[in-house]
Amino acid sequence: MAHTPALADLQNALADHVLGQGDRLAFLSAHLAVSPGWGKAERLSLHRNTSLITLTEALEALYPVVARLVGPAFFAYLCKDFIAAEPPQTPVLYRWGQGFSEAIAQREDCTSVPYLADVAALEWARDQARHAAEQVPLTAQTLRPLAEQAVAAAEPLCLALHGSAQLLVSPWPIFSLWQANQQDEPPQMMLDHGESTLVWRPFGQIEMRLLAPEKAAFLGALANGEDLDRAHQMGLDISSGFDLNACLAEGLQAGWFASERNDAS
């Protein structure tokens, strides 16, 4: 009597075959039941194609601008390799796809579009902001007692970015590239400069803002746990004209900061 493999072995073999992680056709064919009208290879091919299409569509929903920049054929090629290298680990797909920008950055066939990985990182940041936990932003009114407490304790004032906030600093104009590709006919663009972008969702809607380098340095310092004085100095190191009060007013109005600081982070 032929050995019957465990169900888990069959499931793992099917997953490997469907996701392109090895040729398991012979093993699976030996243990699949015969079905009228369909050969075993055809049935496995149907499962594989359906899975690849579903996962490619999931990645395209996450990275629509990346897909547009490279075209459908090359995007499908990128997805196929990514799916084989980093298949989803759970049936819930909304958290899958994080490593796509890193995978693009490591590919030699993407060197002609050197900004592509950073555009992918921007699109992932938008998805992260979309799914971030709700958090009340800091306001001028809620900042005042925090500042008074810091003064009374003779301690530096520390602020944290909003929990949905993602700061991206790129040598490429990723904000402008993303924005241009929201139009039916993207304009020609100069790619000779970098851009810093803040992505956040303070009031239920994803926001993006192009930041001057000194503002990006200031927010980056806060994100790294620096106190307000040190972050201010890092902004001044980029531009002697950095206006802390104006930046704070802008950020408080827009919801850049968290109402509570998590010191454990």
Side-chain angles (χ1 to χ4, degrees):
M1 179 181 293
H3 170 68
T4 301
L7 177 60
D9 293 334
L10 284 171
Q11 290 173 331
N12 289 334
L14 180 60
D16 289 345
H17 183 75
V18 163
L19 297 171
Q21 295 183 306
D23 185 3
R24 308 302 300 274
L25 180 59
F27 174 80
L28 290 167
S29 296
H31 300 288
L32 280 176
V34 176
S35 178
W38 286 88
K40 294 180 180 181
E42 287 78 8
R43 290 164 60 196
L44 289 169
S45 178
L46 176 64
H47 281 299
R48 185 171 190 170
N49 290 339
T50 301
S51 297
L52 287 175
I53 289 170
T54 299
L55 294 176
T56 298
E57 288 175 347
L59 288 172
E60 186 175 6
L62 274 173
Y63 300 103
V65 173
V66 172
R68 188 176 189 188
L69 287 170
V70 299
F74 191 72
F75 185 74
Y77 176 60
L78 291 177
C79 291
K80 184 178 179 181
D81 286 352
F82 180 74
I83 291 165
E86 298 189 33
Q89 300 300 307
T90 72
V92 181
L93 294 181
Y94 79 89
R95 286 299 186 191
W96 174 65
Q98 179 176 7
F100 198 53
S101 61
E102 289 84 356
I104 291 172
Q106 294 170 6
R107 296 183 66 106
E108 293 184 0
D109 53 4
C110 288
T111 55
S112 61
V113 278
Y115 47 83
L116 194 65
D118 284 2
V119 172
L122 177 60
E123 296 201 282
W124 178 254
R126 287 178 57 83
D127 188 71
Q128 290 284 89
R130 179 180 296 109
H131 294 292
E134 296 290 340
Q135 186 179 42
V136 177
L138 186 69
T139 65
Q141 290 71 29
T142 52
L143 172 61
R144 187 173 296 111
L146 296 179
E148 292 172 352
Q149 291 171 15
V151 171
E155 295 177 349
L157 177 60
C158 294
L159 300 179
L161 297 189
H162 191 271
S164 66
Q166 306 277 323
L167 177 64
L168 297 99
V169 179
S170 172
W172 306 101
I174 56 173
F175 177 92
S176 298
L177 281 165
W178 185 92
Q179 195 172 52
N181 278 277
Q182 306 311 302
Q183 305 177 37
D184 291 337
E185 296 293 336
Q188 293 292 322
M189 289 185 51
M190 299 294 292
L191 302 174
D192 59 350
H193 64 284
E195 290 179 347
S196 298
T197 307
L198 183 68
V199 182
W200 79 111
R201 183 179 57 83
F203 309 112
Q205 183 174 349
I206 298 174
E207 305 282 352
M208 293 205 317
R209 187 162 301 182
L210 180 63
L211 299 175
E214 59 272 20
K215 288 182 182 178
F218 171 72
L219 293 179
L222 293 180
N224 289 330
E226 300 288 355
D227 62 58
L228 193 63
D229 289 340
R230 176 60 181 154
H232 181 203
Q233 184 57 54
M234 294 182 75
L236 289 172
D237 289 345
I238 301 297
S239 171
S240 60
F242 174 55
D243 188 332
L244 175 62
N245 290 332
C247 185
L248 283 175
E250 179 184 4
L252 290 168
Q253 183 177 14
W256 290 354
F257 309 111
S259 57
E260 295 182 0
R261 179 180 173 84
N262 182 5
D263 291 321
S265 64

